[in-house]
Amino acid sequence: MTAFVRVSGPPNSNYLVGYPGISATLPRIEGKVEVRPAAGFSQPVAISLITISLVRRETIHPAAESLTRKHLAAPRKEISDIVGKEMLLYRSPNGKEYETVFSMDLPFVLFIPFGRGGEETARRVPPASLQLPSRTAETYYELVVMVQQGNQEQRKHAFPVPISRYDTLSTFGMFNRPETAERVTDHLVTLGISLPRWSYGPLDPVSIYIKLSPNPDWMSKAKRVTIQKIVIGIEEEITYNPEGDEPTKKVNKLAKQTQEVGLRMPDAGYFTNLGLVFPAKDLRDSDGVIPRGKPAFPMYSVSGFTTVGSLYKIDYFLTVKAHLSSARDILLRKSITVCPLDHTGCKEEMDAIETAAKDAAHINAENPMLPARTIVRPEDPNSLHVLGMTMVGKTKKLLID
């Protein structure tokens, strides 16, 4: 008899408890594996072994955006690995090949690594679930339940679990320290910028303080330089196969803002403030309706965000280009962090993260104190009741409370 397997989370909540990327919240997946007869639902099933694990799957196909290149390029590359450890939920007693049961409820908790203990893949903080347009790159997670029924072959049941990362929230103090950078092209003019913060989400304002300074050692030549215009922009750089032999990069220009200047270089230099709004993706369709999302991927208001996987990584850069005459143009690229949540959303998450950290302080990761498992065997008193059946004489009837 084939077993029906289902994974359910805690009542009125999600599988995922805590905040991945925030070690103080002990991010983990909690729930229980439910095993019932699949067909002939009052017949017991034979169970030898049950395990559960969280599996990360990554795929890339850089040529997927073009129909022509898609057929000519190499096939999609895919890897999968177990996040953390596989958990043994049930093994038949010694001396028995299997045990027959009517139902099993097996609680579990899988702790998600939070970056402590080394650089092994199993200990790294797993990247967030993400699917880029045309599936050029994607990362998704599945809870995989392996069931061994007697001498039958092992069956694996997969259940998608969306996972987000919370260590790039723009409200964290490390992202709110001013960042500065300078660039010189031909020793006549120095381009300097200052960012008040460097983590941004959808529709967040991006403000830049820009300074163009003449070189005092070449003042006579520097004063002949004319500042034509200043262009700022945001670039998305996707690197496919970054740890492989032939990494490939693709750069997408997400936003651009131009300020016309037309001014000779002043002795004291030129100062200005420029800004733009980080672009957002509209989740609504043409009818103004938010469609149902895919179960393996959270719905984001951005097309991508800062992330590093095994097969791809995504970086973002703020670019500032000063167009000059009588001197070479100056281009400066400054790395920034992109978060899936806007600044308001990040603020709202902070209280919840603090509460989750207080709750996690009472949990022992080595012994998380799971609820007792429930196994109903055919020989147990009133065992058919768990299936909604009962015996009337020698006949099985539906149980009516």
Side-chain angles (χ1 to χ4, degrees), residues 24-262:
T25 64
L26 279 184
R28 58 203 180 275
I29 295 176
E30 294 181 359
K32 64 180 177 180
V33 174
E34 301 174 0
V35 181
R36 303 287 188 273
F41 55 84
S42 64
Q43 294 297 316
V45 293
I47 302 294
S48 300
L49 182 72
I50 299 178
T51 65
I52 189 170
S53 58
L54 179 65
V55 176
R56 173 172 64 102
R57 304 192 190 278
E58 268 189 24
T59 70
I60 57 168
H61 195 186
E65 288 180 321
S66 167
L67 287 175
T68 306
R69 291 173 54 221
K70 183 177 180 179
H71 296 292
L72 298 175
R76 179 176 292 273
K77 186 174 181 180
E78 180 174 350
I79 65 165
S80 64
D81 53 37
I82 293 178
V83 178
K85 298 178 181 178
E86 188 175 26
M87 183 178 180
L88 174 65
L89 297 180
Y90 175 80
R91 175 178 281 146
S92 56
N94 290 336
K96 281 189 176 183
E97 183 183 356
Y98 57 83
E99 190 173 20
T100 54
V101 300
F102 274 144
S103 77
M104 303 179 94
D105 289 340
L106 308 173
F108 68 89
V109 58
L110 296 173
F111 287 94
I112 298 174
F114 43 79
R116 293 180 183 171
E119 286 302 311
E120 297 90 350
T121 303
R123 294 180 181 271
R124 293 179 190 166
V125 183
S129 304
L130 174 64
Q131 185 178 64
L132 295 182
S134 303
R135 293 187 62 215
T136 54
E138 64 183 5
T139 299
Y140 61 99
Y141 295 85
E142 291 176 331
L143 279 174
V144 177
V145 180
M146 190 280 292
V147 179
Q148 174 78 51
Q149 292 189 250
N151 54 9
Q152 298 181 22
E153 65 180 34
Q154 294 179 350
R155 293 176 181 267
K156 292 187 176 181
H157 308 263
F159 305 88
V161 178
I163 289 183
S164 301
R165 284 275 293 269
Y166 293 88
D167 50 351
T168 59
L169 298 186
S170 59
T171 42
F172 286 139
M174 60 183 178
F175 296 118
N176 288 294
R177 292 196 305 264
E179 285 279 308
T180 59
E182 285 189 348
R183 177 81 174 170
V184 179
T185 302
D186 55 6
H187 305 291
L188 290 180
V189 179
T190 300
L191 170 62
I193 67 167
S194 176
L195 297 174
R197 61 187 179 94
W198 46 286
S199 177
Y200 304 96
L203 298 181
D204 280 352
V206 182
S207 178
I208 315 159
Y209 174 73
I210 300 172
K211 177 183 178 182
L212 284 166
S213 308
N215 186 342
D217 297 332
W218 297 81
M219 186 60 78
S220 59
K221 288 186 177 181
K223 288 169 65 175
R224 290 199 285 264
V225 173
T226 301
I227 307 168
Q228 297 175 338
K229 61 182 178 180
I230 298 175
V231 180
I232 62 172
I234 296 173
E235 292 181 351
E236 176 186 66
E237 184 179 275
I238 306 172
T239 307
Y240 298 100
N241 209 21
E243 299 176 359
D245 296 333
E246 297 180 356
T248 58
K249 290 186 179 183
K250 182 186 176 187
V251 178
N252 301 317
K253 297 188 186 320
L254 303 182
K256 189 172 81 167
Q257 181 80 19
T258 303
Q259 176 174 300
E260 300 290 342
V261 180

